[in-house]
């Protein structure tokens, strides 16, 4: 199975700041990576797929990048509604696997 | 509007089974696969398995083979997951999510909490 190592586990930032979340795969996943946002008490929602493609309706302050085994999610101009947990997921190979999540809070 | 409406929360006894439903609306049910995901505090998010309603084909995470059984009813646009021989390790929130088959889950149900307790 492909292991997804996500960091940091938690993050506190101020409104308007830029934050970056990292995800490392245990082997090359050839950009088969998605990012999800999960707000408290809600289900996960797709943000990014194919490592850098923005899902329909997702604000442009979210962006994804990376290749090979290293990927990142960047949130520009942090807003209060961005308080959530964020998960990466690889879909290059089965079984699908997820990162352990990053909990983002506002300082 | 795409919607996946799951059945309600369940409290079940150890050793029993539970069946969770996921009713799809707002899209053509047979054009997508349905994925099931477990979320528990200790294990995070885990992919359980996938069903392709169009051809009634399933695939499972090896970890959940024998634990989960996925079915789909094309006449009612509803997917089901049955969990058997429940233990405390099965207490979690279970989600259904649709995807094109690539594994990118672009719509999720609201989740169904299963609590296994005597």
């Amino acid at each position: 199975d492909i292991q997804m190592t996500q960091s940091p586990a938690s993050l506190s930032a101020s409104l308007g700041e830029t934050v970056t979340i990292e995800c490392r795969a245990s082997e090359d996943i050839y950009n088969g990576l998605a990012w999800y946002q999960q707000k408290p008490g809600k289900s996960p929602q797709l943000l990014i797929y194919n490592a850098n493609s923005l899902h329909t309706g997702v604000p442009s302050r979210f962006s994804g990048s990376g290749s090979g085994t290293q990927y990142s999610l960047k949130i520009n101009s942090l807003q209060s509604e961005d308080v959530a947990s964020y998960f990466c997921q690889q879909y290059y190979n089965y079984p699908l696997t997820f990162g352990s999540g990053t909990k983002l809070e506002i300082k | 509007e795409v919607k996946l409406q799951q059945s309600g929360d369940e409290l079940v006894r150890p050793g029993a089974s539970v069946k969770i439903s996921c009713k799809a609306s707002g899209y053509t049910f047979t054009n997508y696969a349905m994925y099931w995901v477990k979320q528990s505090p200790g294990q995070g998010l885990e992919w359980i398995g996938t069903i392709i309603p169009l051809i009634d084909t399933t695939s499972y995470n090896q970890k959940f083979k024998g634990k989960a059984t996925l079915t789909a009813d094309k006449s009612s646009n509803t997917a089901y997951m049955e969990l058997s021989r429940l233990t405390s390790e099965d207490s979690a929130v279970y989600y259904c999510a649709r995807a094109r088959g690539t594994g990118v889950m672009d719509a999720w149900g609201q989740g169904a909490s299963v609590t296994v307790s005597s």
Side-chain angles (χ1 to χ4, degrees):
Chain A
D1 298 3
I2 298 175
Q3 307 303 314
M4 304 301 293
T5 303
Q6 192 174 334
S7 61
S10 62
L11 185 53
S12 182
S14 301
L15 293 174
E17 261 192 64
T18 294
V19 299
T20 300
I21 298 168
E22 307 280 348
C23 195
R24 176 171 51 85
S26 59
E27 61 185 80
D28 196 328
I29 57 172
Y30 299 94
N31 282 18
L33 183 100
W35 289 96
Y36 299 90
Q37 176 192 63
Q38 185 176 30
K39 295 186 177 180
K42 302 292 187 184
S43 55
Q45 299 297 312
L46 177 66
L47 294 173
I48 301 279
Y49 62 97
N50 291 349
N52 57 24
S53 297
L54 201 65
H55 181 53
T56 305
V58 175
S60 59
R61 63 178 182 275
F62 291 90
S63 63
S65 63
S67 62
T69 62
Q70 301 275 4
Y71 299 87
S72 61
L73 171 71
K74 187 162 79 169
I75 310 173
N76 288 317
S77 302
L78 193 64
Q79 307 290 306
S80 56
E81 60 262 34
D82 299 334
V83 168
S85 291
Y86 294 84
F87 298 90
C88 60
Q89 176 228 329
Q90 69 80 21
Y91 52 92
Y92 171 69
N93 206 356
Y94 281 80
L96 307 179
T97 47
F98 293 84
S100 53
T102 296
K103 188 173 182 180
L104 175 60
E105 297 175 333
I106 301 296
K107 203 180 286 183
Chain B
E1 178 199 4
V2 173
K3 191 168 184 182
L4 300 176
Q5 183 67 40
Q6 295 186 235
S7 47
D9 297 345
E10 301 269 5
L11 171 62
V12 292
R13 297 286 184 253
S17 298
V18 68
K19 194 169 187 177
I20 301 168
S21 66
C22 172
K23 182 167 177 59
S25 60
Y27 71 98
T28 302
F29 185 60
T30 49
N31 282 356
Y32 289 79
M34 194 68 78
Y35 288 64
W36 292 87
V37 174
K38 177 183 180 182
Q39 185 169 34
S40 52
Q43 298 295 321
L45 292 163
E46 297 178 279
W47 170 70
I48 297 169
T50 299
I51 185 164
I52 303 174
L54 181 65
I55 53 176
D56 237 356
T57 297
T58 54
S59 61
Y60 294 92
N61 186 335
Q62 185 68 31
K63 180 178 177 180
F64 293 95
K65 279 186 177 177
K67 170 64 64 178
T69 302
L70 305 183
T71 55
D73 178 358
K74 292 189 284 289
S75 68
S76 64
N77 293 343
T78 304
Y80 299 91
M81 178 177 67
E82 184 168 20
L83 300 169
S84 60
R85 297 183 303 278
L86 292 165
T87 72
S88 58
E89 295 294 306
D90 299 314
S91 293
V93 177
Y94 293 87
Y95 294 99
C96 60
R98 76 162 197 183
R100 282 274 188 190
T102 57
V104 178
M105 292 171 248
D106 67 355
W108 293 62
Q110 84 275 23
S113 174
V114 173
T115 302
V116 182
S117 174
S118 54

